[in-house]
Each structure stands twice: as C-alpha cells, then as structure tokens.
C-alpha cells in the first residue's frame, strides 16, 4: 500500500492540477474498479489528470519510481488492462470535456469520454461518430483498436472518422497527431491500440444521424437455429450495406418489447438498424420477414441515443466476463453448424455470441490506410462471451467459450480476431490479428515513440529492435 504520507506521492500532488488517489483514500476503490467484475487490482497510485501536462508529470513520476503504467479510458477492456497491481493508473475519466462544431461537422472529446457522453452531445445536432454497441464503453480504447457498431456499414469504423488526436508520449512530449502531423503515428493510432501514448483528446468527423432511426428485431428459437442463421447470411449478402445488421445468439431479455412467454428464452436475434428513413428500413424488414417465422419481432422508430444504449442491460457493469473472437473465412454451412451445435450449450442467461457484420462503408477504406487488424472486405466477426453474476456458471461458460472458439479455428484463417475482443493477450495472437506486414510497421512506429515499451498493458506491439 502506498501511504498518503509517502513524500514522493506528496510531491506528485504538488505538481498536478488533477487528483491523486492512493489505497484507503475516498474514491480509490471506485477509481480502480473496471467493467469486468473478475478484475480486482490495486494500483499504488491512481492519477486523474486535468490535462496533458498532468499526464506528462505522472509518467515522469512513474519512471522515477519504477512503477508500471496503465491507462484507463472507459474501463471496458475484458482483461482489465486499465489497472495494474502496484502500478500507476492514469484514470482519464477526468478528461471528458466535449465540444461540437455543428457547422464544421467536427467534435473534440477528452480521452476518457464514454460513448454515452459523446452521443448525447453530438445528437443535440443530429450528428454522430460511429461508436460501439454498449454506451458505457470508452471512446478511447474502442477507437484506438478500430471500433465498430451500428453505423459501421454507413460510416465505417470509429477510427475511420478520427481527424486528429492530442497525445502524450512515454517521454512526456505533447504531440498533435493527424494526417499532416506525425502521419506514421496517425496511421498507427487508427487500430494499433494504446501502444503509442496517452490520447488526451480525440477530434472526430461527424455524420448526420437521426435523431430518430429505425430498428427491426427478429427472434428465432434454438430449434430454428440453422434456418435462422442461413436466413441471416442471405440478409447480409443482399441488404444494402448502409444498414446496421447484428446477429446474436442470446437469451431474450425481459424487456417490454419481448412477449412475456419468451422472456429469457435462448435463441437467435437478427437486428437491423436503418438510418435512411422509414421506407428504406421497411424494405429490409420485408426481406427479414421473408425467411423462417420468428417467435416474435419488434419494428419501431427509435431515438439514436436509445439504440446506442439498448444493449447496455446485456452487459452490466461489474459482471464476470471472458471472451474470445474469430474471423471465420465465410458465413459457411460449416460455421453455421458449429454455432448451432455450441450455442444451446451455454449455461448463463447473459452469455452471448454477437456476430458483427463488416460491410458497406467499412469496405470502402483501403486495407493499408489504417492499422486496423481485420480484413477490409465483407466479413463477419464472431465474438463469444461468458457473462455471469456468479462464479459457477461463469467458469462453466468460460470453458464453453474456449471450446466453441476451438471449433471455429479450423474455419478461420484469422482466428485471433480483433484486438479489442481479447480477454487474454498472447503475443502470437496479437501478431496474427494484425498480420505480419501491419505488425512490423506498427513495431517500427512503436520503437520510434515508445522504445522502452512503457505502454505495455494492452494488445502489445513489441518495439522493433
Ligand atoms: C460490454 C462490451 C461491449 C463492447 N462492444 C464493442 C463494440 O460494439 N464494438 C467494438 O469495437 N468494441 C466493443 N467492445 C470492446 C471495446 O472496444 C474494448 O474493450 C475497449 O478496450 C474499451 O475501451 P475502454 O476505453 O472502455 O477500455 P479501457 O479498459 O479503459 O482501456 C483499454 C485499453 O485501451 C487503451 N486506452 C483507452 N483509452 C486510451 C486513451 N485515451 N489513450 C491511450 N490509450 C487508451 C489502453 O491501452 C487501455 O489499456 C466492447 C467491450 C465490452 C466490455
């Protein structure tokens, strides 16, 4: 435990405008908590910086004190990369200021902003940055790893809308990073994760979205799994790319739009979000209804901010969580058989298997334009999650995740999946996720900006020799 009377900590306090928290102080336990309830780590010091100068001072302190550094954006990383035992945690929740320029269609937000905060601010002007599917996720970690959600088909990844970033390097230098300034670093920030420094501010391009958008949800029973998944495959092949389509194996929630007999019923959901008016969405709904009969469906206009938080209840803060993901080589009959075989075997009602569809505007960006690891072609990413409140079902479903993933490996040339969907970071999987060419380019940039690998609590890129 680092004592509050520790003279080094006292000296750090005098250098910072932001807060410094140590074990036993009010706020310390909240500051060290992360989304995954399995993670219980005790940093020696938590710093809540007021700006880039505080970040630089905290990094200098950590270097002198020999402390490991971790960076906390929204605290959503499955493996708890945001906190490290005995280290210095830079908790960026103090950096959440947002400014929106509706005429220039740009927004700036602090490095610790959540998507709920950013969406609320940009939707004041019916504008949005493509974000994730759970609103309490951090803009920081999600964008730096790539970032996909409902708007990926219409406007690409979150990182595709990044215009610039303010970044503090491991040596405390404050850089403005954009296509014109430090373009190598700008490339690396768009997919390369938190390897290169602490982003204190993001600047994004905004897109017109909502405020009312359209949602269709079609829910099929487990017995119809193969037929429902084949139908979902056909929809992904034929529906316009700008629609947001999410396929998920899950238990129906006890939500008002779910008829009571189906509350907690396991099955498959096909969700279709439309951003181009009711008629455009209605065509997709008609196509969805042309397949096997769902147990129930729900079609409605919905405020964009509601769509963004609609799934929050499926991933509550503090839940025990483990995940693995893979890009199968196609949505083939073999992959569908693996899914239909494994999904019914999950134990916890919260455990879930979302299938993210990478299509539309996502495929308009050249593969080497950003460091994002996945293939820039039409593809699906299968994510398998053990989520439970109790250790028993959690452990059972963690084994289920591993077995399910093992069964997908023979069908997936990139079985490492997405760096933001790794509960455990094995160096070989990080390398596989990027592929050798991107990984080596990232490693050279890492060597230029963080040769001592100060930022290693992440999907780590080893600095090139
Ligand atoms: C329930 C749930 C749903 C999710 N849904 C999606 C989804 O729909 N789409 C998607 O793409 N991903 C999704 N993810 C994955 C998500 O992108 C990653 O977990 C991401 O790391 C979360 O970012 P964070 O800032 O909240 O996490 P944190 O745990 O705070 O940070 C993770 C890492 O990101 C880095 N980092 C964060 N902020 C900064 C910063 N400002 N500067 C430098 N480094 C930083 C650090 O290396 C840190 O260790 C989901 C995760 C969860 C748990």
């Amino acid at each position: 435990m680092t004592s509050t009377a520790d003279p080094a900590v006292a000296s750090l306090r005098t250098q910072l405008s932001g807060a410094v928290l140590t074990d036993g102080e009010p706020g310390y336990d909240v500051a060290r908590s992360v989304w995954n309830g399995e993670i219980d780590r005790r940093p020696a010091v938590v710093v809540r910086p007021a700006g880039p100068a505080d970040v630089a001072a905290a990094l200098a302190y950590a270097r002198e004190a020999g402390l490991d550094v971790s960076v906390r954006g929204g605290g959503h990383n499955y493996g708890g990369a945001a906190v490290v035992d005995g280290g210095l945690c830079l908790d960026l929740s103090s950096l959440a200021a947002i400014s929106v320029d509706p005429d220039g269609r740009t927004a700036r937000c602090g490095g610790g902003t959540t998507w709920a905060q950013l969406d609320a601010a940009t939707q004041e002007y019916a504008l949005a940055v493509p974000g994730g599917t759970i609103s309490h996720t951090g803009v920081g970690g999600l964008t730096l790893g790539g970032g996909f959600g409902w708007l990926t088909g219409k406007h690409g990844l979150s990182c595709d809308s990044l215009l610039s970033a303010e970044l503090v390097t491991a040596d405390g230098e404050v850089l403005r990073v954009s296509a014109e300034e430090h373009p190598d670093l700008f490339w690396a920030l768009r997919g390369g994760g938190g390897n290169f420094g602490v982003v204190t501010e993001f600047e994004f391009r905004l897109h017109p979205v909502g405020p009312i958008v359209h949602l269709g949800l079609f829910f099929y029973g487990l017995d119809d799994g193969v037929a429902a998944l084949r139908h979902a495959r056909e929809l992904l092949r034929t529906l316009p790319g700008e629609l947001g389509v999410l396929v998920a194996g899950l238990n129906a929630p006890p939500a008002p739009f779910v008829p009571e007999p189906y509350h907690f019923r396991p099955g498959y959901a096909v969700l279709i979000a439309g951003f181009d008016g009711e008629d455009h969405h209605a065509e997709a709904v008609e196509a969805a209804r042309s397949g096997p009969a769902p147990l129930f469906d729900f079609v409605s206009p919905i405020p964009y901010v509601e769509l963004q938080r609609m799934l929050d209840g499926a991933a509550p803060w503090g839940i025990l969580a483990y995940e693995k993901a893979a890009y199968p080589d196609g949505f083939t009959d073999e992959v569908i058989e693996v899914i239909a075989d494994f999904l019914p075997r999950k134990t916890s009602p919260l455990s879930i298997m979302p299938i993210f569809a990478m299509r539309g505007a996502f495929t308009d960006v050249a593969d080497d334009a950003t460091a994002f690891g996945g293939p820039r072609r039409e593809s699906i990413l299968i994510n398998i999650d053990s989520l439970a409140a109790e250790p028993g079902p959690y452990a059972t479903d963690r084994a289920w995740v591993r077995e399910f993933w093992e069964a997908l490996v023979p069908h997936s040339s990139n079985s490492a999946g997405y760096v933001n969907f790794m509960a455990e970071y094995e160096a070989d999987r990080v390398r596989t996720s990027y592929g050798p060419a991107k990984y080596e380019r990232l490693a050279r940039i890492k060597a230029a900006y963080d040769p001592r690998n100060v930022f290693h609590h992440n999907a780590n890129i080893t600095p090139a020799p």
Side-chain angles (χ1 to χ4, degrees):
M1 185 193 287
T2 303
S3 155
T4 46
D6 183 330
V9 173
S11 146
L12 176 65
R13 281 203 166 98
T14 63
Q15 296 170 49
L16 301 185
S17 309
V20 177
L21 299 169
T22 58
D23 203 343
E25 291 182 327
Y28 171 81
D29 280 329
V30 171
R32 74 185 183 86
S33 75
V34 290
W35 171 81
N36 186 350
E38 203 195 4
I39 310 295
D40 179 20
R41 301 201 186 122
R42 310 192 81 83
V45 191
V46 179
V47 171
R48 285 189 167 148
D54 279 4
V55 171
L59 290 172
Y61 169 82
R63 191 167 54 243
E64 275 161 36
L67 296 178
D68 237 3
V69 173
S70 68
V71 180
R72 186 187 194 282
H76 254 238
N77 173 267
Y78 266 69
V83 278
V84 56
D85 276 328
L88 182 141
C89 168
L90 272 163
D91 172 11
L92 305 182
S93 61
S94 49
L95 299 179
I98 301 171
S99 63
V100 180
D101 172 0
D103 298 328
R105 290 204 175 155
T106 60
R108 289 172 184 259
C109 69
T113 308
T114 64
W115 285 103
Q117 293 166 326
L118 185 58
D119 287 337
T122 57
Q123 277 292 284
E124 294 267 327
Y125 308 95
L127 297 168
V129 182
T133 50
I134 303 285
S135 76
H136 40 83
T137 311
V139 170
L142 187 132
T143 301
L144 294 172
F148 40 77
W150 293 112
L151 285 172
T152 310
K154 185 145 179 74
H155 295 300
L157 296 174
S158 308
C159 73
D160 295 337
S161 289
L162 186 66
L163 292 173
S164 73
E166 178 185 71
L167 174 134
V168 184
T169 67
D171 290 337
E173 211 181 334
V174 182
L175 304 178
R176 175 61 52 185
V177 184
S178 67
E180 288 77 38
E181 297 161 280
H182 308 284
D184 53 344
L185 192 49
F186 186 55
W187 176 84
L189 287 186
R190 290 171 295 154
N195 273 285
F196 307 95
V198 181
V199 177
T200 44
E201 185 186 78
F202 294 93
E203 183 193 12
F204 290 104
R205 179 184 308 115
L206 292 169
H207 308 274
V209 174
I212 299 295
V213 300
H214 292 84
L215 173 71
L217 183 163
F218 307 85
F219 191 89
Y220 307 89
L222 283 182
D223 292 346
D224 293 328
V226 169
L229 290 166
R230 285 186 178 162
H231 181 50
R233 173 175 65 192
E234 187 58 16
L235 292 173
L236 287 178
R237 210 178 54 75
T238 52
L239 289 181
E242 62 270 21
L243 292 159
V245 184
L246 181 68
V247 181
L250 78 176
N251 289 53
F257 56 85
V258 178
E260 216 174 318
Y262 301 121
H263 286 186
F264 303 109
R265 176 81 68 99
Y268 299 89
V270 176
L271 297 105
I272 304 173
F275 306 97
D276 296 293
E278 193 168 356
D279 292 348
H280 187 257
H281 187 251
E283 286 173 29
V285 167
E286 201 182 314
R289 287 191 171 136
S290 70
L295 291 181
F296 65 90
D297 66 22
F298 172 74
V299 177
S300 176
I302 181 171
Y304 176 70
V305 287
E306 286 300 326
L307 176 73
Q308 285 294 91
R309 58 182 176 224
M310 181 180 73
L311 300 176
D312 285 5
W317 190 269
I319 199 81
L320 306 173
Y322 180 80
E323 72 176 342
K324 269 184 167 330
Y327 286 103
D329 295 328
F331 206 167
T332 60
D333 282 348
E334 291 76 17
V335 167
I336 287 176
E337 270 165 39
V338 171
I339 297 170
D341 181 18
F342 274 89
L343 194 82
R345 301 197 219 164
K346 76 188 186 75
T347 310
S348 166
L350 279 174
S351 291
I352 186 168
M353 180 223 51
I355 301 178
F356 292 88
M358 317 303 268
R359 49 205 292 278
F362 167 82
T363 63
D364 295 343
V365 178
D367 190 48
D368 59 0
T370 71
F372 177 70
R376 284 279 188 170
R377 55 179 148 74
E378 282 197 15
S379 46
I380 56 166
L381 175 64
I382 302 183
N383 181 222
I384 318 162
D385 304 66
S386 168
L387 297 175
E390 299 298 330
Y394 167 62
T396 307
D397 277 5
R398 190 175 47 198
W400 166 78
V401 169
R402 289 175 176 149
E403 281 171 36
F404 192 158
W405 178 80
E406 292 285 349
L408 287 172
V409 169
H411 308 285
S412 315
S413 38
N414 185 346
S415 59
Y418 168 45
V419 286
N420 273 356
F421 286 170
M422 288 184 189
E424 296 150 315
Y425 292 132
E426 298 98 351
D428 58 333
R429 282 178 67 227
V430 174
R431 180 182 277 273
T432 305
S433 172
Y434 288 111
K438 267 189 193 166
Y439 186 90
E440 274 148 35
R441 185 170 171 190
L442 285 166
R444 288 195 297 275
I445 298 168
K446 176 82 172 170
Y449 291 95
D450 183 20
R452 289 178 292 114
N453 205 1
V454 169
F455 303 110
H456 63 269
H457 290 285
N458 45 39
N460 198 230
I461 311 285
T462 309

